[in-house]
Amino acid sequence: MKKRQLLFLSSLMLGLLSFAAIGDKDKPKEKAANNPPVFSNVIYSGDDEIYKKNPLKAGEFYSPVLQGCYPDPAITRKGDDYYMVCSSFAMFPGVPIFHSKDLVNWTDLGGVLNNVNEFNPHDTGISQGVYAPGITYNPHNDTFYMIVTAFSGGLGNIIVKTKDPKKGWGSPIKLDFGGIDPSVFFDDNGKGYIVHNDAPDKGKELYNGHRVIKVWEYDVATDKVIPGTDKIIVDGGVDLSKKPIWIEAPHLYKKDGHYYLMCAEGGTGGNHSEVVFISDSPKGPFKPSSNNPILTQRHFPKDRPNKVDWAGHADLVLGPDNKYYGVFLGVRPNDKDRVNIGRETFMLPVDWSGTFPVFENGLVPMEPKLKMPMGVTENKTGTNGFFPNGNFTFEENFTSDKLDYRWIGLRGPRENFAAVTKKGLQINPFAVCIKELKPTSTLFYRQQHNTFSFAATIDYKPASQKDLAGIVCLQNEKFNYVFGITKKGNDTYVLLERTEKGTSKIIASKKVDMKKPVRLQVKANGDSYEFSYAVNGADFENLGGAVSGDILSTNVAGGFTGALVGLYATAANDAQPQ
């Protein structure tokens, strides 16, 4: 996107200027109250038509493999183990990571950056934080490397290491170079290299969106780039004369004695694509393939059914059947062509029988199903702890001491405000509302379908108009819906508030009797969202009619994230019943 460079530069400067150790004074203040809300029996259910029309047959699995806001995937392999990471921006913990034995069935391992003392996006916009990670296994020292750009705390580009991703990661190591989208490559002789997106040399930027790919030699012993080894290996993109924009997300590979550089090109919107170059050296010169792009969805009618769009930002791995596969981001717009779910992780087989890799069926309109790799016999998604996809229902009764990793915080750890009790999940409200650029006391879940419902029972008695708890549907702090329970005078109300461009409006409110817990529900059918409540837990009453999900889309709100739905509480409520 054209705004991405400005976002990067402004956020990096902000981090450098404002970075200081985070002390107690910077932490959100919890309300010392004895009326925190307790949530129970939360049910998320997805019901997209495409999955009903395309049921799985034996030997098939769905793509996207990770539904919801899991963009910018990167993947690596050690033996029979595959590990995949994605961007998380200001969500916490940072950089979600998944494990698989077969590329079909994935287990959620949580987040790589889970220590708030080392990664603290407490004051960043939701589309900042961390994005575009790379993950690489180095067989020469039996170590995994995760590298990423962090737009918080003055971190910049960092790398973390581990011998076993299932057991956690080491502390971030700051790297001495600028730019974004770094990835690490280890050659056959063990020598390390880092490639990344950067601005052209000073005074050489030719047009808006003109970027370059740089390579550095990387000292494995000291975990530092070697000063003076940086070199521009791609200027602009495949053909500089055509003014290509946003060459980014580079990955280096070696096959049959040649080095391949694969990058995204065209920006992360409708012109997104994947391109590839070849060289006899990791430091170039790199020559583009004659059949670029090797993956894109930009050439097809805008009104095509079951549209997958914005495909690019890919990474390759050798599958269990000794065939290559690629993971990449894409979007599935709703009926109004709006992107509410966000950028998701898709997968395709890759034909690398010739000189250059090509994504199979990556240059035709994408289908929702793939054949499982040869030798993989069982699709276990959604069962036995494996991450679900397709249409599914996720029910949470908060009976386990350990919250499911799909529940996340925003700008800070969920543990700072959420606690499992005998009655359900208690949220101790911060004196922070959802519209502030601070950590909020909200337990979030990613929207994973265009047609879905999300319901929760809440036991709550607000003490004043400053107290509110309920459900929030959020694209960012300036674009969201709040559906909650609050107080006005001696009466308790349920209200629906819409915030667009930072301006809030009460859509509807109604006095309710809170003698018993109340069931709150949001249902979406494409762009149409409906908020309802039931004082007896069963007979739902709509509040505010059908409202547009436009403000929950990337198209309207901007940024890089998908919509989140969450269990919300605040002691700084400013939404007042009418």
Side-chain angles (χ1 to χ4, degrees):
M1 286 184 176
K2 292 183 178 180
K3 295 182 179 178
R4 187 166 176 180
Q5 186 176 5
L6 290 175
L7 172 65
F8 162 66
L9 292 173
S10 62
S11 56
L12 187 59
M13 286 300 295
L14 179 64
L16 290 171
L17 290 171
S18 63
F19 175 58
I22 307 303
D24 290 338
K25 64 183 178 64
D26 298 300
K27 294 179 181 178
K29 300 298 188 293
E30 295 187 21
K31 184 183 178 186
N34 50 11
N35 65 323
V38 175
F39 294 89
S40 59
N41 191 228
V42 180
I43 300 177
Y44 173 93
S45 185
D47 195 33
D48 282 343
E49 195 67 26
I50 189 169
Y51 296 120
K52 291 188 279 188
K53 291 182 177 179
N54 294 274
L56 290 175
K57 298 176 182 177
E60 295 180 333
F61 70 112
Y62 285 126
S63 178
V65 292
L66 302 180
Q67 293 166 222
C69 183
Y70 292 102
D72 308 332
I75 192 167
T76 195
R77 175 183 181 179
K78 174 190 176 184
D80 296 331
D81 293 295
Y82 295 87
Y83 294 93
M84 182 162 61
V85 292
C86 306
S87 292
S88 56
F89 306 97
M91 303 169 207
F92 197 94
V95 188
I97 181 167
F98 294 83
H99 169 258
S100 178
K101 288 284 189 180
D102 52 23
L103 298 181
V104 174
N105 305 295
W106 292 90
T107 303
D108 191 342
L109 300 182
V112 174
L113 301 175
N114 56 18
N115 184 343
V116 75
N117 294 317
E118 295 178 339
F119 166 64
N120 192 336
H122 67 116
D123 59 356
T124 61
I126 195 171
S127 286
Q128 296 178 37
V130 286
Y131 63 65
I135 186 169
T136 308
Y137 173 66
N138 182 1
H140 302 281
N141 61 2
D142 188 29
T143 300
F144 291 86
Y145 294 73
M146 193 286 292
I147 187 170
V148 73
T149 310
F151 296 101
S152 61
L155 288 173
N157 290 301
I158 57 173
I159 201 164
V160 293
K161 304 187 297 181
T162 185
K163 295 288 186 180
D164 185 353
K166 295 178 183 178
K167 295 181 179 179
W169 295 75
S171 296
I173 301 167
K174 187 172 171 58
L175 299 170
D176 191 18
F177 61 88
I180 58 174
D181 296 11
S183 68
V184 187
F185 167 74
F186 298 102
D187 208 340
D188 296 337
N189 59 7
K191 192 169 183 177
Y193 298 87
I194 290 177
V195 287
H196 65 94
N197 161 317
D198 210 340
D201 290 341
K202 190 174 181 179
K204 293 188 177 181
E205 183 175 354
L206 302 178
Y207 51 87
N208 188 25
H210 177 199
R211 301 290 285 181
V212 302
I213 301 299
K214 283 185 179 180
V215 63
W216 294 79
E217 294 181 21
Y218 176 68
D219 189 331
V220 178
T222 63
D223 291 313
K224 295 179 180 179
V225 292
I226 301 174
T229 62
D230 57 310
K231 181 182 179 183
I232 293 175
I233 51 176
V234 172
D235 185 5
V238 169
D239 185 348
L240 186 59
S241 68
K242 295 181 179 179
K243 297 184 177 180
I245 60 170
W246 290 107
I247 191 76
E248 58 188 357
H251 292 280
L252 271 174
Y253 312 95
K254 190 175 186 180
K255 184 175 181 288
D256 300 331
H258 296 294
Y259 296 87
Y260 293 85
L261 178 70
M262 193 174 74
C263 307
E265 187 184 274
T268 58
N271 205 43
H272 208 196
S273 70
E274 197 71 15
V275 296
V276 65
F277 306 78
I278 192 171
S279 177
D280 292 326
S281 165
K283 301 197 75 172
F286 279 89
K287 180 182 178 182
S289 168
S290 60
N291 64 336
N292 279 321
I294 59 173
L295 166 71
T296 191
Q297 294 288 286
R298 67 189 177 204
H299 301 302
F300 311 120
K302 297 292 184 185
D303 59 351
R304 63 188 183 274
N306 301 326
K307 179 166 69 172
V308 175
D309 212 353
W310 302 8
H313 200 119
D315 197 6
L316 303 179
V317 73
L318 194 63
D321 53 358
N322 212 36
K323 178 183 178 66
Y324 281 89
Y325 290 80
V327 293
F328 56 95
L329 72 78
V331 297
R332 296 178 295 145
N334 65 20
D335 55 316
K336 298 291 187 182
D337 203 35
R338 293 180 178 132
V339 179
N340 289 40
I341 306 175
R343 296 165 173 86
E344 307 175 278
T345 289
F346 290 75
M347 183 181 294
L348 280 176
V350 172
D351 183 350
W352 207 340
S353 57
T355 301
F356 291 99
V358 176
F359 285 76
E360 294 182 17
N361 298 320
L363 297 171
V364 297
M366 289 184 191
E367 298 293 332
K369 299 193 297 182
L370 301 175
K371 290 184 179 180
M372 295 195 296
M374 189 73 67
V376 180
T377 58
E378 191 175 358
N379 185 335
K380 297 176 282 189
T381 54
T383 64
N384 300 319
F386 289 104
F387 202 75
N389 60 12
N391 283 333
F392 58 84
T393 296
F394 170 63
E395 185 168 0
E396 176 66 270
N397 288 308
F398 302 111
T399 55
S400 172
D401 291 337
K402 186 177 181 182
L403 282 176
D404 192 288
Y405 287 131
R406 283 172 280 183
W407 293 112
I408 55 173
L410 178 60
R411 304 189 191 94
R414 58 193 190 176
E415 292 80 8
N416 283 357
F417 57 83
V420 175
T421 71
K422 291 181 179 180
K423 294 184 178 181
L425 184 89
Q426 178 176 301
I427 294 184
N428 300 308
F430 294 158
V432 175
C433 84
I434 203 72
K435 291 169 273 190
E436 296 183 72
L437 202 64
K438 298 176 182 179
T440 70
S441 40
T442 315
L443 192 66
F444 282 108
Y445 184 95
R446 293 168 175 86
Q447 180 180 332
Q448 297 178 294
H449 300 80
N450 282 311
T451 299
F452 78 95
S453 63
F454 180 91
T457 296
I458 178 172
D459 189 355
Y460 182 52
K461 290 180 174 59
S464 76
Q465 64 182 17
K466 287 292 185 181
D467 297 323
L468 180 143
I471 290 173
V472 60
C473 291
L474 180 134
Q475 178 58 233
N476 61 49
E477 59 277 359
K478 293 183 178 181
F479 293 84
N480 54 74
Y481 283 106
V482 170
F483 179 49
I485 296 164
T486 188
K487 199 165 186 180
K488 181 180 180 181
N490 293 322
D491 298 317
T492 302
Y493 286 79
V494 59
L495 62 76
L496 177 62
E497 179 191 56
R498 173 185 168 102
T499 298
E500 180 177 4
K501 297 181 181 178
T503 299
S504 299
K505 176 184 177 182
I506 302 297
I507 302 296
S509 61
K510 189 170 182 181
K511 192 185 302 184
V512 291
D513 184 353
M514 287 295 294
K515 291 180 180 177
K516 297 180 180 179
V518 173
R519 188 81 172 160
L520 300 179
Q521 176 179 268
V522 55
K523 278 190 172 184
N525 185 359
D527 184 66
S528 178
Y529 285 63
E530 293 189 12
F531 296 84
S532 305
Y533 67 96
V535 292
N536 63 0
D539 299 316
F540 282 95
E541 183 175 342
N542 175 265
L543 187 71
V547 296
S548 175
D550 55 354
I551 59 171
L552 304 177
S553 72
T554 303
N555 316 57
V556 172
F560 303 119
T561 60
L564 304 174
V565 57
L567 307 175
Y568 170 54
T570 178
N573 174 47
D574 64 355
Q576 302 302 318
Q578 293 177 326

